[in-house]
Amino acid sequence: MPTQPTPVLEVKHVTKRFPGVVANDDVNLTLYEGEILALLGENGAGKSTLMNIIYGLYKPTEGEIYVRGKKVEMKSPRDAIALGIGMVHQHFQLVPVMTVAENIMLGAESVKRGLLDVKKVAQEIQELSHRYHLDVDPYAVVEDLPVGVQQRVEIIKALYREAEILILDEPTAVLTPQEIEGLFEIMKRLQSQGKSIIFISHKLKEVLYISDRIVVLRDGKVVGETTPAEATQEKLAAMMVGREVILTVEKEPARPGKVVLEVKDLKARSDLGEPALRGVSFQVHEGEILGVAGVQGNGQTELVEVITSLRKAESGQVIINGEEMTNASPRAITQKGQSSHVPEDRHAYGMVASYSVADNLVLNTYNLPPFAKGIRINRPAIIRHAEELIEKFDVRTPGPHTPAGSLSGGNQQKMVVAREFSRPIKLLIAAQPTRGIDVGSIEFIHNQIVAKRDEGVAVLLVSAELDEIMALSDRIAVMYKGEILDIVPREEATRENIGLLMMGVKRGEKVGATS
Amino acid sequence: MNQSSFRRLLRSLLIPVLAVLTALAIGAIIMWLAGDDPIAAYKGLFQGAFGSKRGWATTIRKWSPLLLTGLSVAIAFQAGLFNIGAAGQFMMGTVFSVWAGINFEGMPIYLHLPFALGMGILGGLLWGAIPGILKVTTGAHEVITTIMLNYIAALFAGWTVYAGGSQGQKPGPLWDPAAKAISQTPPVVESARIPFIFGPPYRVHWGIVLAVLMIFLFAWLINKTTIGFELRTVGRNFKAARYAGIRVGWTVILAMMLAGALAGMAGAIETLGVNFKFAPEFGGSVGFEGITVALLGQTNPFGVGLAAFFLASLAAGGAKMQFDSGVSTDIIQVINALMLAFVAAPAIVRWLYRIRKAPEEEEGVPKISWGGG
């Protein structure tokens, strides 16, 4: 770090209020030239709101923003871009069917005699990618590119607009470990060229690895500032959540009982009509957690959908509590099969964003007493139920009438978990239960899953996070290309042997055998 | 009602109200450009609709079909479906009810009238079910199928009363031989006519009360029943609806049947309460105006009621406007079309009046997502 750092961006006493919520409360933040500043916080802590203020999307209710010592007032991202601020959103803002060059010039088109000058832009892109080692083909169509490369396109887009300050919003959430490595290299290179970066994350390891300084946000306030040298994962987690967080899950050994879910030689096709399940068989017992590990796209999604009857089984059987339930109605699976399902994609399946929290909490029980008598809905009962669950599962919402879509991701997931965990069940199917949510909520949901197991519920846990599988499972099934390659007892599982299975290498086989 | 939902209600009123005012303003500009006097025109319009007992009576009489077709479009909207077919469903309601109404002479009114009304509702319901079934079984989009079914319904209705041709073409089954070369049905018999609340010259009938009751039935169904919960869930997120165990296919068909039943009821009430017979030109544009009504009313039953009343007053006041100011009643079609454009594209209104979106709307996840999801 230089001895006399120059601040390039200063946020002074910024407060942002939404009806019923203070999203940012007197926030002060300084970004120095050429540094990587990590902004750490749980979902709903106000990180995104703060970044949207800096990027001109929101106007602060109170407070001021200075860029290079000058007070600025931004009306839209256009002003922010003109001031040299660039943002890479978590959800990419790219047009899939357009080329890289077309995407990059979108909104900043180069025009020659009234026509788009793609050639000139492509040349500039090549210069940029050369300077920052951001390898991208300007003429490639975006939808053909891997996610990691698409992210590079977003970064080039910002650099093309001459950004000096880069905001990266949860950039690693969508990347594979190798792509994350690549991103970090790019960030270091940008830094060495004098760019200043705000890196938003809630992954503690990454923050400690890449940043120069760490600012922690909680409940809209800055609660601390530290450096990787001073901090540890435990300390950062505690700052984020406001209390000690136990990063490992504590649980007693499982006491499995009789079989609750049995899947026999299940076959099904993917949305594209290709075989996704090629004869899957396993059993889940009372009081145990069966973890399903595997690289994404090996049939885990289809497996859960077939068991919950959201997808048709081509052949094979699903037996719940001794009863054949193959291709039964989804309602029969939940109500007759006494099962719960935390879906992988909570926005698509788990909730109705425009519905209130209260309505979402009865999404699959609205027709049962006490919420309905005949066809009449009993609204007071629904509200009471919501108030109870909001309290019990610590869902942070202004109230039961708030639209679920306006909650943070972590709180939306807590809402889904509250609904699915609060009724009497024998089988719990949890798919990616902690995807994209914060440490505090993860700890909470993990403990809830273990508690269900200890009540005697059979748990099928599907997760792309190997750490999660290792922490929770009593047995681990590894899926590879639509098959369960092996089921390993937790005691015998290591990151190495599970990792090999995830790559399609069976136990006893040599590593080179399949490649 | 808590405070935030009250504020949301006010916000939801903002766009329609501004759409109406803007449409009226542009209508005035058009009249002014054409050399007419917009103030005199609007004055005539208002007086025509509300300036006399007869004006009021006409407004109220025209209210019922707009209200019912508006509710028809609105209930389909609640389930995420765009019912362009209210016109055809209205037509089938008309044909079914007129068939029941011109036959069965001698049946007591307490049987005949409900039967004729019920037949009209059934006709619309069945006609609405077709696009629902097609959507669920084949994936055919309801916008396309309902438009096609509108043509079929109009031509079918025309055939039923066809007077026959000089080259030996056979007349339709409902044609009135007494009408000779005119294509129309015999009059509806007395026992199938909806009684008047205020007789001629006002001709305000009890069917209007029935239509208004539908507002409350709609509100109850949508907000207070499991059926309404299912309709709304399917409309807002059909994947979540499947996840929740709702039978999505059946719900889609049900929504279209309810939409058809409402439009069919509109046709039946017009036949049994106003026209007392059917001729092909009776269809009018009421089915399409239902779309304007539903959007202007923001698919809320009470909003639909207000919007329908407003459109009814425009229709009722038109004649006096034309008489007083010389402005053609066509200008009312222009204003209707402008209103539809503004409520269908609220961004225009927001831009015109610099209205910011509600915070919960701007808070959400960015809409541009990956893979067209």
Side-chain angles (χ1 to χ4, degrees), chain A residues 223-266:
Chain A
V223 290
E225 194 189 313
T226 181
T227 60
E230 295 164 8
T232 62
Q233 286 199 47
E234 284 73 20
K235 267 193 200 164
L236 288 178
M239 279 168 88
M240 268 167 80
V241 183
R243 59 180 165 81
E244 285 298 313
V245 178
I246 301 136
L247 293 171
T248 53
V249 184
E250 292 194 28
K251 60 183 174 73
E252 307 274 299
R255 268 167 291 160
K258 55 184 202 296
V259 176
V260 175
L261 170 68
E262 180 165 20
V263 166
K264 277 191 199 161
D265 199 26
L266 209 55

Side-chain angles (χ1 to χ4, degrees), chain B residues 229-315:
Chain B
F229 191 91
E230 287 165 4
L231 289 174
R232 285 185 291 129
T233 307
V234 168
R236 281 160 179 77
N237 183 346
F238 75 92
K239 282 184 170 173
R242 279 184 63 209
Y243 163 86
I246 294 167
R247 288 174 297 168
V248 174
W250 162 246
T251 306
V252 164
I253 295 170
L254 177 69
M256 285 308 296
M257 291 200 302
L258 291 173
L262 284 162
M265 184 190 283
I269 289 177
E270 288 309 281
T271 304
L272 307 173
V274 179
N275 300 320
F276 306 127
K277 65 179 176 187
F278 171 68
E281 66 272 15
F282 284 1
S285 53
V286 106
F288 294 104
E289 277 157 9
I291 298 168
T292 311
V293 169
L295 288 172
L296 207 55
Q298 305 275 291
T299 72
N300 171 300
F302 300 101
V304 168
L306 277 176
F309 191 80
F310 177 67
L311 258 74
S313 71
L314 291 185

Side-chain angles (χ1 to χ4, degrees), chain B residues 172-183:
Chain B
L174 300 181
W175 168 64
D176 179 11
K180 305 247 165 56
I182 301 168
S183 295

